[in-house]
Each structure stands twice: as structure tokens, then as C-alpha cells.
Amino acid sequence: MNEQESRPSGSNSKKTNIKQGCLFIISAPSGGGKTTLSKALVDRFKDILYSVSYTTRPPRKGERNGVDYYFIPKKDFKKKIESGHWAEWAEVHGNYYGTPAVFLDKGLASGRDILLDIDVQGTLQILENYPDSVTIFIMPPSLETLKKRLEMRRTESRETIKRRLLTAEKEMAQKDLYRYVIVNDRLSVSIEKLIAIIERYRYPNTPEK
Ligand code: 5GP
């Protein structure tokens, strides 16, 4: 597959002759290490746009509005569902999460590659409109490891952890919907694997190491 074919084409790119950007989607169960991995990618590829999601869940300790998420009230989120504002949205663990369509379309049309960190439900919606997106699922080595990671984080109650583990099990069963699956056993190895996947699409003419 050459680079042109792997990218969504749109009328904007024809008008401006700018090659559309590529969408990379990373999903992982809560506690799967996805946030750390996404941050490593943003550090490595400074020009990739990281999509900061909107959510109705309250901020965790240390989370900043506009950096980790945009935190908005449920009623505002719902209004934006009605007005077709979201490229994708999902209800996860009783809270809403979404990605604005205008952010994706503007970024891609101007040739920027974009990194989305969203769940399986959101990935399926994005694939309907952006079928060439590069999808990557991060698997925890086991449910037991995931449970330990969630407990160590000390940000969630026992009940919430239980709920997140149930969701994780369901998400892991859907991993084959993704183009790539990385088992996140050792963080440094997973980061290398992720970088290699992204470089394959960004620099398709470079011989593989
Ligand atoms: P958390 O509350 O732990 O930050 O995230 C919970 C789940 O929501 C994670 O699986 C995360 O990937 C997902 N998520 C975060 N932002 C979005 C989004 O914009 N859309 C969708 N569909 N899921 C999201």
C-alpha cells in the first residue's frame, strides 16, 4: 500500500494540493498504559496533533483542562450530540467522551497527522468515516496485571475498578477489529513497536530496519 492509498482523500486536498493527514487510533483498556504510550509518541513525533478529548467525567487529581481532557457538563455534551458536533462519541463507565469532527477535518485537510486515544466504540465510528485510519490496540499482558495497575494508580474506588475490569474484558475480546495489536508487557519495547508502526505510514519509502 503506498502512502497516498493509506490516507483518506477529501475534496479539500484536491483544492489545495495538500496531502491529507493520517489518522492513528490507539485504544487500550483503562490502566493498559495507553496514556504513557501516547505521551511517548507525542514526544517522539512533535508534529503529530494529539486530539484532546471532551469528557463529562470529573478531572482526576493532577489532570488539567485542555491538556488531559476538556471537561464539560453533561447537558453541553448532549446538545453537541444533537447538533452533530462529534466525529465520534461514546458513553464509558457512565460518562461521555467525544472527539469534535471539526478538529479532525481541519487537521487532516491541512496535512497534519493526528493521534486519537479513544475506546473501541469510538474507533468503530471513526472507521465508518475515515476507513484508512491506522488502528492499534494495546493489550495488557493479562487481566491480573491490569487489575494490579489500576489498584496501584489509587485514583479509583474498588467498585470503579471492578467496572473498568469488566469493560476491559469486553474490549480485549474485540482486539481483532484493529490493524495492529501490541501486548504491553515491557513499556520500552511497546514504545519501539508503536514508533515503528507510525514511521511505516509517515515515511513509507524508508527501508525497514
Ligand atoms: P479515562 O476516564 O480512564 O480517562 O478513559 C476511559 C476510557 O474512555 C478509555 O478507554 C479512553 O480511551 C476512552 N476515551 C477517552 N477519550 C475518548 C473519546 O474522545 N472518545 C471515545 N470514544 N473514548 C474515549
Side-chain angles (χ1 to χ4, degrees), residues 20-21 49 101-114:
Q20 287 249 316
L49 274 182
V102 68
F103 173 81
L104 296 190
D105 292 337
K106 267 193 179 167
L108 294 175
S110 64
R112 300 289 297 272
D113 292 339
I114 301 180

Side-chain angles (χ1 to χ4, degrees), residues 60-203:
R60 294 194 188 111
K61 212 173 155 206
E63 283 185 333
R64 284 176 296 160
N65 191 40
V67 177
D68 301 285
Y69 283 104
Y70 291 102
F71 298 95
I72 63 168
K74 230 172 215 175
K75 69 171 190 338
D76 293 357
F77 195 102
K78 286 184 174 168
K79 263 192 212 150
K80 288 178 189 292
I81 295 177
E82 281 157 26
S83 66
H85 178 79
W86 308 116
E88 64 76 30
W89 66 272
E91 194 179 348
V92 188
H93 312 127
N95 295 304
Y96 290 92
Y97 296 80
T99 309
V102 68
F103 173 81
L104 296 190
D105 292 337
K106 267 193 179 167
L108 294 175
S110 64
R112 300 289 297 272
D113 292 339
I114 301 180
L115 178 63
L116 292 181
D117 162 350
I118 60 177
D119 78 336
V120 179
Q121 306 173 67
T123 302
L124 290 173
Q125 294 169 50
I126 292 286
L127 284 173
E128 276 177 27
N129 290 319
Y130 308 89
D132 295 326
S133 302
V134 179
T135 53
I136 307 160
F137 192 87
I138 310 291
M139 278 282 281
S142 67
L143 273 175
E144 195 48 40
T145 319
L146 192 66
K147 185 166 175 250
K148 278 196 192 127
R149 284 187 194 158
L150 284 173
E151 284 169 353
M152 267 164 49
R153 212 156 74 172
R154 293 174 189 273
T155 49
E156 267 98 3
S157 67
R158 205 174 273 258
E159 202 44 52
T160 309
I161 291 180
K162 220 167 152 186
R163 193 147 54 130
R164 282 178 186 260
L165 282 172
L166 273 177
T167 310
E169 223 175 331
K170 280 192 210 141
E171 291 209 319
M172 284 156 71
Q174 290 176 284
K175 69 177 192 317
D176 292 340
L177 297 171
Y178 286 73
R179 203 179 294 184
Y180 299 96
V181 176
I182 294 177
V183 179
N184 187 18
D185 205 348
R186 277 182 45 211
L187 197 62
S188 57
V189 177
S190 304
I191 290 173
E192 284 311 311
K193 285 185 181 163
L194 261 178
I195 289 175
I197 292 170
I198 290 187
E199 284 186 334
R200 197 173 304 158
Y201 288 90
R202 300 196 89 197
Y203 317 113

